[in-house]
Amino acid sequence: MHIYCFSKSVHRRICIFGFSGSSRYTALLFCSPSAVQSLAVWRLSQVSLTALKLYCQLFQVWNMAATETQLMLSVGLIEKDVNGDTLWVWCYPSVSTELRDVLLSKCCLTQASRDLHTFVFGQFCRTWYYITTVEVQEPTALNKVTHFSIVVTAKDFNPEKYAAFSRILCRMYIKHGSPVKMMEGYIAVLTKGICQSDENGSFLIKDYDVRKAYLAGSVKDVVSQFGMETIILYTALMLKKRIVVHHPRIEALLEFTRVLPALTWHRKDWSILHPYVHLTDTELDDLKKCPGYVAGFVDPEVSNRSDLFDVYVNLPDSVITVSQSAKEAMSMGKLHKDIGHLIVQSAEDADRTDSQVIKDISVKTKEILANLIALADEGENSKITLDGLKRHHFPPATENFLFHLAAAEQLLRI
């Protein structure tokens, strides 16, 4: 059998293919998608036409799946045994020690509460994590394990995608009692964009468009709860302020916070979302690196941390509070009232879907931004100045809002 090695030295990874004398494919020992670019080919003269055809087929598969699959970073396993001990037992390929400690703290198996949170997600250091936890029901191959969690890390926000993938990995682990099958499933998704099994179900990456993830929450529910005060959330998001949301139940927190970035649909920026944060130095240091954010906390002590927010949302009591330091920038006027009425009227229309409500808000936002850009075009270097705004004699609250919005959109000249 001839061995052909394709290596990309930058990544220090090697693809090894085995072929018989007749050049028929025999075995694929290891292959990395990152190795298909800038390839150095050893013993190229021995590569037959059939071998090259096989390589081209593999390249086409990788190329189709590359954009989506390269978003996944790792898969890990946390177990709780019959003695009540919870440990991080396996990971592929790896996570940093700092991230592993954060992931352990997010897993319900390590927490004092006995509540089982079947699925949670969040963001730390620009890495999204998705944790699926199950209770082991006997009989299984896991006779010494009572619960376990599958932890997937990725670059993208898409809870539904990674929840579906994790469910398949969970079924694999329950059946086989070994992470080897999970690793095989993970590599199958990395290389092909699909993980398929008659027994455990199938997962296809292309079924999970990111826009569906952005639209999965309900803006109508947010407006139903807060009514005209939704304009406070809209204004804070437009001005890239810091919003902190508290609810003692993590599921309610995740459901609410994931919706808020949709109020500024023109940005389509879910990187501002940090839906599950603990009051630890490590996580708060990471959060403070973000100029504006939506951060969720289950700890009620966060209400006393005014250094963390411009707007505080007490979700159980349906109360929104603007911090003293942000009141000047967040002052409201007729423009805000008009936008608030538009949001409420659209959301209360039973015939309009959530996506249509988001579109209504987005149309109004684009109108405001178009007017702002027109003002900027009047100024030097297409920038807005306070003096330039004053020449238009806007009402004080409108002038104030446009000034801070220009700063948020990088249209302001100081």
Side-chain angles (χ1 to χ4, degrees):
M1 182 174 74
H2 301 304
I3 301 295
Y4 302 96
C5 301
F6 301 89
S7 169
K8 186 178 181 186
S9 59
V10 174
H11 291 274
R12 299 174 67 186
R13 296 184 182 182
I14 295 175
C15 300
I16 302 176
F17 299 86
F19 299 92
S20 70
S22 61
S23 299
R24 294 175 60 191
Y25 173 72
T26 303
L28 172 59
L29 304 181
F30 177 76
C31 185
S32 166
S34 64
V36 298
Q37 300 174 11
S38 304
L39 293 170
V41 181
W42 301 342
R43 296 175 65 183
L44 183 58
S45 60
Q46 297 187 50
V47 180
S48 68
L49 180 61
T50 305
L52 285 174
K53 284 182 178 178
L54 173 64
Y55 167 73
C56 289
Q57 289 170 357
L58 287 169
F59 180 83
Q60 288 173 345
V61 170
W62 289 329
N63 194 45
M64 287 187 293
T67 302
E68 286 290 336
T69 59
Q70 287 175 2
L71 296 173
M72 274 204 307
L73 298 173
S74 72
V75 58
L77 177 65
I78 300 170
E79 287 184 348
K80 186 172 187 177
D81 63 24
V82 291
N83 298 318
D85 297 323
T86 302
L87 296 172
W88 180 280
V89 296
W90 176 81
C91 182
Y92 178 82
S94 66
V95 296
S96 68
T97 301
E98 182 181 55
L99 178 56
R100 184 189 64 194
D101 291 343
V102 169
L103 296 174
L104 280 166
S105 73
K106 303 302 176 185
C107 177
C108 62
L109 302 181
T110 66
Q111 298 168 1
S113 171
R114 292 183 177 272
D115 295 335
L116 185 69
H117 305 298
T118 55
F119 182 69
V120 300
F121 59 88
Q123 183 184 188
F124 176 73
C125 286
R126 297 191 174 275
T127 296
W128 287 97
Y129 58 83
Y130 304 90
I131 305 176
T132 300
T133 302
V134 298
E135 183 177 5
V136 177
Q137 304 287 344
E138 293 187 1
T140 71
L142 303 169
N143 55 6
K144 292 185 178 180
V145 176
T146 61
H147 303 77
F148 68 88
S149 297
I150 300 294
V151 184
V152 177
T153 64
K155 298 177 184 178
D156 62 323
F157 170 80
N158 203 322
E160 286 69 33
K161 176 170 75 173
Y162 293 109
F165 181 44
S166 295
R167 284 193 296 270
I168 289 179
L169 296 181
C170 285
R171 289 195 287 270
M172 288 179 174
Y173 191 53
I174 287 173
K175 179 179 179 180
H176 299 282
S178 166
V180 172
K181 288 293 181 181
M182 289 197 299
M183 185 174 71
E184 290 176 357
Y186 178 83
I187 292 174
V189 171
L190 279 180
T191 56
K192 301 176 184 177
I194 185 171
C195 177
Q196 197 163 14
S197 167
D198 293 337
E199 298 172 334
N200 300 310
S202 62
F203 169 80
L204 190 62
I205 271 188
K206 70 178 184 180
D207 289 341
Y208 297 91
D209 181 68
V210 69
R211 289 172 63 91
K212 291 182 181 178
Y214 292 164
L215 295 169
S218 176
V219 171
K220 299 186 80 166
D221 286 349
V222 172
V223 179
S224 175
Q225 181 170 0
F226 288 100
M228 277 294 289
E229 286 200 326
T230 306
I231 189 59
I232 300 175
L233 300 174
Y234 172 85
T235 303
L237 287 158
M238 286 290 286
L239 301 184
K240 298 184 179 179
K241 296 298 183 181
R242 302 167 303 160
I243 301 174
V244 162
V245 183
H246 164 68
H247 197 289
R249 194 166 62 86
I250 182 59
E251 289 81 5
L253 197 61
L254 298 176
E255 183 181 359
F256 181 84
T257 56
R258 71 174 296 174
V259 179
L260 297 188
L263 293 175
T264 49
W265 183 257
H266 68 289
R267 293 183 186 137
K268 295 182 183 64
D269 183 12
W270 265 253
S271 69
I272 66 171
L273 179 61
H274 299 257
Y276 188 18
V277 185
H278 285 121
L279 289 171
T280 64
D281 290 342
T282 299
E283 292 189 57
L284 295 183
D285 287 346
D286 177 56
L287 185 65
K288 289 176 181 178
K289 294 175 185 176
C290 309
Y293 51 73
V294 176
F297 293 80
V298 293
D299 188 344
E301 179 61 26
V302 72
S303 64
N304 299 319
R305 293 295 304 270
S306 58
D307 60 308
L308 297 178
F309 58 82
D310 301 306
V311 173
Y312 178 74
V313 182
N314 182 330
L315 201 51
D317 296 338
S318 301
V319 175
I320 300 177
T321 306
V322 179
S323 71
Q324 193 64 38
S325 62
K327 283 187 175 179
E328 185 269 333
M330 294 284 295
S331 60
M332 303 286 169
K334 183 179 183 302
L335 176 61
H336 297 85
K337 186 177 180 180
D338 292 344
I339 298 170
H341 279 306
L342 180 148
I343 293 172
V344 171
Q345 288 172 5
S346 178
E348 288 181 348
D349 187 340
D351 294 329
R352 300 194 73 72
T353 64
D354 280 291
S355 60
Q356 289 172 325
V357 174
I358 290 171
K359 184 176 181 180
D360 291 342
I361 299 170
S362 180
V363 168
K364 184 62 178 179
T365 299
K366 288 178 179 178
E367 177 188 316
I368 295 169
L369 292 174
N371 291 332
L372 192 68
I373 291 169
L375 291 172
D377 289 340
E378 295 174 3
E380 184 180 343
N381 298 322
S382 296
K383 295 287 185 179
I384 289 174
T385 64
L386 183 56
D387 289 340
L389 283 174
K390 288 185 178 298
R391 284 197 293 270
H392 287 271
H393 304 290
F394 292 117
T398 300
E399 178 187 288
N400 181 68
F401 174 66
L402 293 176
F403 177 80
H404 287 94
L405 180 58
E409 296 290 332
Q410 298 182 331
L411 293 172
L412 186 65
R413 183 163 65 87
I414 305 298

